[in-house]
């Protein structure tokens, strides 16, 4: 079922990109968009982990540099029956973490220095187990691909907006069925919104599953619940700086690293933290029974 959902989401993003190409350039635009979609799928599969890690200035760390982080990751990977992922550290006072990589054998886990500073061992295990659950569920690849497509569609829509300002959509015989001005306007308004909603759906639906999987891997639902409570408070008080933030990768982190006004569940890249904590507390209660 998880593989089917992933396939449907990728097909939906590809179709959306092709429709955007058709609205802007007719049949030729659709063909070009399909080629771009294929190239993005290939690039995201092979290079998404490197791009994301470099984007956030993460550096690979050895067991000698961060012994507790490294040992906890190794212990949890063994518990989850996963290959040992590469371990990265990001220099940031804001506590957070994410996992990336195209498969469990090519996975990487990254944590900020702020996370290592404020978490006790049980909480750290909860956070890292959550990230390893994403690896085990193969969420890291689909999340990176969704982010790539959403970013590309938004970029194309921005280009269309500039083209309209300079008279780039004045009708043409070779754009049969393209929709002309109406199609371009629909693309500018709806395509980025649709892409963002799909990307958010990918993230939100998988966070609950990763919380559950992480609690099972670590054996401590309350460790993750307490960590989430700390992370939520710390990110509200000390959000990532403008240089550290990237909206295209916000959904990869265990809690949303972006500061801003909460405009409701539909437009959030993460489920409400309180709801996640309540589910983990319920798991802990069932485990004690």
């Amino acid at each position: 079922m998880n593989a089917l959902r992933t396939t449907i989401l990728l097909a939906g993003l590809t179709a959306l990109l092709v429709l955007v190409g058709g609205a802007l350039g007719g049949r030729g635009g659709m063909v070009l968009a399909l080629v771009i979609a294929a190239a993005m799928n290939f690039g995201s599969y092979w290079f998404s982990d490197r791009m994301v890690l470099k984007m956030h200035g993460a550096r690979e760390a050895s067991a000698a540099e961060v012994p507790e982080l490294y040992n906890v990751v190794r212990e949890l990977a063994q518990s989850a029956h996963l290959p040992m992922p590469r371990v990265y550290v990001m220099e940031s006072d804001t506590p957070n973490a994410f996992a990336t990589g195209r498969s469990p054998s090519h996975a990487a886990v990254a944590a900020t220095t702020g996370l290592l500073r404020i978490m006790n061992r049980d909480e750290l295990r909860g956070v890292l187990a959550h990230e390893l659950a994403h690896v085990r569920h193969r969420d890291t690849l689909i999340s990176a691909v969704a982010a790539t497509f959403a970013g590309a569609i938004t970029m194309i829509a921005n280009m269309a907006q500039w083209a309209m300002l300079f008279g780039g959509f004045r009708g043409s015989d070779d754009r049969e069925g393209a929709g002309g001005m109406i199609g371009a306007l629909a693309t500018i308004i709806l395509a980025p919104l649709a892409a963002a909603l799909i990307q958010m759906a990918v993230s939100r639906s998988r966070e609950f599953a990763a919380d559950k999987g992480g609690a099972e891997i670590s054996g401590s639902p309350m460790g993750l619940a307490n960590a989430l409570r700390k992370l939520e408070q710390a990110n509200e008080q000390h959000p990532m700086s403008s240089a550290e933030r990237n909206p295209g990768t916000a959904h990869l982190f265990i809690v949303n690293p972006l500061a801003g006004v909460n405009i409701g569940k539909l437009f959030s890249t993460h489920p409400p933290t309180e709801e996640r904590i309540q589910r983990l507390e319920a798991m802990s209660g069932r485990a004690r029974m």
Side-chain angles (χ1 to χ4, degrees):
M1 182 59 68
N2 197 33
L4 178 61
R5 288 175 183 168
T6 299
T7 302
I8 291 172
L9 284 166
L10 282 175
L13 288 165
T14 301
L16 182 57
L17 186 60
V18 171
L19 288 174
V20 170
L24 300 180
R27 284 172 291 186
M30 293 179 72
V31 172
L32 179 60
L34 187 60
V35 172
I36 293 173
M40 285 195 302
N41 271 310
F42 178 83
S44 296
Y45 182 84
W46 290 104
F47 307 115
S48 61
D49 56 340
R50 301 178 202 174
M51 291 188 291
V52 170
L53 291 165
K54 186 175 182 180
M55 201 177 296
H56 289 281
R59 61 176 179 82
E60 190 165 5
S62 66
E65 294 175 287
V66 282
E68 184 174 25
L69 174 62
Y70 199 92
N71 289 336
V72 168
V73 172
R74 180 168 52 193
E75 173 190 320
L76 292 171
Q78 290 173 351
S79 176
H81 305 291
L82 291 170
M84 177 65 186
R86 289 167 291 145
V87 176
Y88 284 78
V89 173
M90 297 173 284
E91 295 292 335
S92 174
D93 291 332
T94 305
N96 225 318
F98 69 85
T100 187
R102 65 180 182 269
S103 68
S105 59
H106 296 86
V109 175
T112 66
T113 51
L115 181 85
L116 302 179
R117 189 161 49 248
I118 72 167
M119 295 289 158
N120 62 38
R121 185 176 177 83
D122 192 42
E123 293 162 349
L124 182 62
R125 291 181 81 254
V127 170
L128 296 173
H130 170 98
E131 297 307 328
L132 288 178
H134 276 306
V135 173
R136 188 167 67 177
H137 300 165
R138 296 180 180 267
D139 295 339
T140 51
L141 175 61
I142 180 62
S143 295
V145 173
T148 302
F149 272 88
I153 293 168
T154 302
M155 180 186 69
I156 291 171
N158 289 336
M159 291 171 60
Q161 186 175 10
W162 282 105
M164 286 188 66
L165 290 175
F166 291 98
F169 294 99
R170 289 180 179 169
S172 173
D173 293 338
D174 62 353
R175 288 186 183 171
E176 182 181 355
M181 182 70 75
I182 295 176
L185 282 172
T187 297
I188 292 169
I189 296 170
L190 298 177
L193 177 61
L197 290 176
I198 293 173
Q199 181 184 0
M200 291 169 191
V202 169
S203 173
R204 287 167 58 83
S205 65
R206 282 162 164 72
E207 287 304 313
F208 287 127
D211 285 344
K212 182 176 183 292
E216 292 169 352
I217 291 170
S218 67
S220 175
M222 288 309 300
L224 178 54
N226 293 333
L228 288 173
R229 193 174 283 111
K230 271 189 181 180
L231 287 167
E232 182 76 2
Q233 294 172 353
N235 276 266
E236 287 180 359
Q237 295 172 1
H238 304 289
M240 284 187 172
S241 67
S242 56
E244 295 172 322
R245 291 178 299 199
N246 188 311
T249 60
H251 63 289
L252 297 176
F253 287 85
I254 187 169
V255 295
N256 192 347
L258 303 180
V261 179
N262 181 10
I263 54 176
K265 289 185 178 182
L266 182 64
F267 293 94
S268 173
T269 59
H270 292 69
T273 302
E274 189 57 40
E275 186 176 349
R276 296 170 66 184
I277 292 171
Q278 289 172 0
R279 293 191 183 201
L280 288 164
E281 288 174 340
M283 282 185 66
S284 180
R286 288 194 296 270
R288 287 195 296 266
M289 291 177 63

